Amino acid sequence: MIPSIRLADATEVPAIGQGTWHMGERSARKHDEVSALRLGLDLGMNLIDTAEMYGEGGAEQVVGEAIAGRRDGVVLVSKVYPHNATRAGTIAACERSLRRLGTDRIDVYLLHWRGSVPLAETVAAMERLVETGKIRHYGVSNFDAADMADWVAAGGRAATNQVLYNLGRRGVEWDLLPWCRDHGVSVMAYSPVEQGDLADHAALGGLAAELGVSAATLALAWTLRQGNVMAIPKAVQPDHIRQNRAALDLVLQPALLAALDRRFPGPKGPEPLAML
Ligand SMILES: NC(=O)c1ccc[n+]([C@@H]2O[C@H](COP(=O)([O-])OP(=O)(O)OC[C@H]3O[C@@H](n4cnc5c(N)ncnc54)[C@H](OP(=O)(O)O)[C@@H]3O)[C@@H](O)[C@H]2O)c1
């Protein structure tokens, strides 16, 4: 059975999904990108994260092609630009995303980051989209603990908060991860292999080799250790996809977790939320 995490409404999703940033930017790569997402789905990583921003809609078109004929088995996440996140703008952006994705509903629709539109307007639009069945759930991305409190105060719900989190970016452990755990909000770790850098990290590679896995597999397994966090690595190369899937089968022992803590220390105090 694939380890899963529970979104706020009890929807179970696999603890590793698939990212799509930089997909859909070049037509020559489209075939490989569609094949990559399909391979990930075949391996059980059936949550796909995308956004209207990625390739200015191009990534959503890649996803649409990858999920054609198998939509019901996929949990689709997309995001609205902050400058589109007005009451009418959110709904129009969602409708454009639905057309590109070739589906009638998005499973989890996120505000990509906090902009200048009052949160209450975005929340009202999200609630309307749920009522009309265009989205099933909604949430946020790049929100720190204070932003989360403001979102809730504006009447918002959050199936998830998608934030930058990996071995080298542990600031959220200070207050955001505890806030999310206490409020039943799951966390999606984006850039979980630091856009490929952790895969080439020598010390991490050494620890991973002792387990017979790649550094990327170890980095991903580490992000999942607390139960309330899932990861959404992006990979096009088939061996990367398989390594990422392997993280779901890797259980990290306390001695290894301690070694990772020494090499990649957690925060010693509050830090501003890191974003890419
Ligand atoms: N909400 C936000 O603001 C936000 C921001 C950033 C990202 N995201 C989401 O999170 C997803 C993941 O983040 P990301 O794309 O920035 O970075 P990432 O997943 O940490 O890294 C992607 C890069 O790492 C490589 N890679 C993946 N698996 C690997 C492995 N097992 N071994 C070696 N290299 C590997 C990929 O190469 P190949 O593609 O060549 O296989 C790609 O170049 C995004 O795609 C996007 O969906 C959200």
Side-chain angles (χ1 to χ4, degrees), residues 19-52:
T20 63
W21 194 15
H22 298 308
M23 291 190 184
E25 292 177 355
R26 285 204 246 143
S27 56
R29 292 198 307 227
K30 190 173 188 187
H31 176 265
D32 287 349
E33 292 165 352
V34 169
S35 302
L37 292 173
R38 287 187 179 152
L39 173 60
L41 294 176
D42 292 342
L43 294 174
M45 296 185 287
N46 74 341
L47 179 143
I48 299 180
D49 175 75
T50 189
E52 62 171 335

Side-chain angles (χ1 to χ4, degrees), residues 80-258:
V80 58
Y81 267 127
H83 62 256
N84 283 339
T86 57
R87 198 184 158 107
T90 305
I91 290 167
C94 180
E95 283 166 354
R96 290 192 297 271
S97 288
L98 287 170
R99 275 196 294 279
R100 288 189 290 261
L101 289 161
T103 184
D104 60 352
R105 80 264 178 213
I106 290 169
D107 296 293
V108 186
Y109 197 42
L110 306 179
L111 173 58
H112 207 147
W113 63 91
R114 186 171 184 172
S116 55
V117 173
L119 295 180
E121 262 199 60
T122 310
V123 168
M126 293 288 192
E127 290 288 345
R128 181 74 192 138
L129 286 168
V130 171
E131 277 163 28
T132 53
K134 291 182 176 161
I135 64 174
R136 288 179 55 229
H137 309 287
Y138 66 88
V140 292
S141 176
N142 297 301
F143 269 43
D144 67 17
D147 294 324
M148 290 305 294
D150 290 347
W151 183 254
V152 171
R157 297 182 278 169
T160 192
N161 182 12
Q162 185 180 112
V163 293
L164 176 59
Y165 183 51
N166 62 47
L167 272 165
R169 309 268 203 169
R170 297 184 60 175
V172 294
E173 289 175 20
W174 187 260
D175 53 2
L176 183 61
L177 294 193
W179 190 99
C180 289
R181 206 167 34 245
D182 293 349
H183 291 79
V185 176
S186 66
V187 172
M188 269 182 211
Y190 75 66
S191 308
V193 289
E194 189 65 25
Q195 304 201 299
D197 287 357
L198 284 172
D200 298 326
H201 193 287
L204 187 60
L207 291 168
E210 289 173 26
L211 302 173
V213 300
S214 73
T217 301
L218 177 55
L220 289 171
W222 176 88
T223 61
L224 313 182
R225 73 202 181 287
Q226 287 171 335
N228 190 41
V229 178
M230 66 168 298
I232 47 167
K234 171 261 177 187
V236 174
Q237 297 183 49
D239 61 323
H240 291 169
I241 298 164
R242 292 182 196 284
Q243 287 173 23
N244 298 347
R245 169 63 181 81
L248 287 168
D249 301 322
L250 188 61
V251 177
L252 304 185
Q253 298 304 322
L256 178 56
L257 289 171

